[in-house]
Amino acid sequence: MSYNSSTMGSGSRTGRMSFEFGRTHVVRPKGKHQATIVWLHGLGDKGSSWSQLLETLPLPNIKWICPTAPTRPVTLFGGFPCTAWFDVGDISEESPDDLEGLDAAASHVANLLSTEPADIKLGIGGFSMGAATAIYSASCRILGQYGNGNLYPINLSAVVGLSGWLPCSRSLRNQVSVSHEAARRAASLPILLCHGSGDDVVAYKHGEKSAHTLSSSGFSNLTFKSYNGLGHYTIPEEMDVVCNWLTVILALDGIRLVDH
């Protein structure tokens, strides 16, 4: 699948390019299939890196779909190409937003979820830029549309973001406040955000501010977990929290909760 995106650095459009999404890796549920979660990797990574980790989690009722982002020039790296869900010039909540790239990535994720059975609960999670894409998808869900105005088709039951940030944060609060339906959806959508205080790639302050912006925009079912000294990576303790949170939120059967 390909999409067209404008080259974004200072926020100006300089042309259109087409990018192909990479390989998608699927981890099949070992037990009864109750939920499907698309998990998105970080900048420069690939889907297989996370599928190997997710396969080891004590969540036998979840099917994991781990796509690979397109290889595209990234402004942050001076135009050097790498796998990226969208273009970014600065990893922060204040960075100019590549709305076209974000919409394309969120649409790709929605397409992956669209063929799941009707009785299966659906979620999106990710790390770093993948977390930003997951959180952007959450905002599309509660607003009922992508940034370009097209209908967002997926009813999400859970969103997880590790070491990420909130794109398009400047307009979210106003967009939610003018729609009773958006406010209702925002209040009911469970979101788990985790961030390490020692993160030197996506600074902790950006993750904390993103959580605050979401909460003040009406996302009242949001949990923010901080990890003292944790850098830009995950650890077993963090994944234990993800497992336990998903177990409760998705009301999954037959899952061994991890003691802390």
Side-chain angles (χ1 to χ4, degrees):
M1 180 179 179
S2 65
Y3 69 89
N4 292 320
S5 178
S6 58
T7 302
M8 186 278 294
S10 61
S12 62
R13 291 172 179 262
T14 57
R16 295 176 67 88
M17 297 176 291
S18 181
F19 304 107
E20 293 286 337
F21 285 90
R23 182 181 175 187
T24 296
H25 301 262
V26 177
V27 179
R28 303 288 178 183
K30 298 178 179 67
K32 178 184 177 183
H33 184 197
Q34 293 180 293
T36 296
I37 297 177
V38 172
W39 190 272
L40 306 172
H41 62 76
L43 182 63
D45 203 357
K46 55 187 177 181
S48 60
S49 297
W50 281 94
S51 66
Q52 294 168 17
L53 171 62
L54 296 170
E55 192 169 16
T56 68
L57 298 183
L59 298 169
N61 305 112
I62 293 181
K63 172 184 175 182
W64 301 94
I65 302 176
C66 302
T68 299
T71 297
R72 52 157 303 149
V74 175
T75 301
L76 179 67
F77 299 147
F80 186 83
C82 68
T83 52
W85 299 109
F86 52 91
D87 191 20
V88 62
D90 177 39
I91 298 181
S92 76
E93 204 182 23
E94 292 77 25
S95 174
D97 295 306
D98 175 18
L99 191 58
E100 194 172 1
L102 282 161
D103 277 348
S107 178
H108 183 65
V109 172
N111 286 340
L112 291 172
L113 290 171
S114 66
T115 57
E116 293 300 295
D119 61 336
I120 298 300
K121 295 179 180 178
L122 306 177
I124 304 174
F127 175 79
S128 191
M129 177 179 269
T133 306
I135 299 168
Y136 178 74
S137 296
S139 68
C140 292
R141 161 58 187 158
I142 65 100
L143 295 173
Q145 62 184 28
Y146 298 100
N148 60 17
N150 291 340
L151 178 70
Y152 185 80
I154 302 300
N155 181 18
L156 295 175
S157 296
V159 174
V160 179
L162 310 182
S163 306
W165 72 96
L166 169 65
C168 304
S169 61
R170 292 175 290 275
S171 60
L172 181 60
R173 188 180 307 175
N174 289 338
Q175 289 177 299
V176 175
S177 65
V178 299
S179 168
H180 291 298
E181 180 62 18
R184 183 191 66 79
R185 289 176 177 175
S188 63
L189 178 60
I191 299 179
L192 172 65
L193 301 181
C194 303
H195 218 108
S197 65
D199 195 327
D200 58 354
V201 178
V202 181
Y204 176 81
K205 65 179 181 181
H206 297 314
E208 188 176 43
K209 184 177 180 182
S210 295
H212 180 266
T213 300
L214 287 166
S215 294
S216 63
S217 299
F219 288 79
S220 54
N221 198 358
L222 182 146
T223 301
F224 181 71
K225 294 282 188 181
S226 59
Y227 294 84
N228 187 37
L230 179 65
H232 197 64
Y233 49 87
T234 189
I235 54 175
E237 291 80 4
E238 185 178 49
M239 295 310 297
D240 287 350
V241 168
V242 172
C243 288
N244 288 334
W245 184 84
L246 287 172
T247 298
V248 173
I249 293 300
L250 299 177
L252 300 175
D253 297 333
I255 293 179
R256 176 180 58 83
L257 293 178
V258 182
D259 295 327
H260 296 281

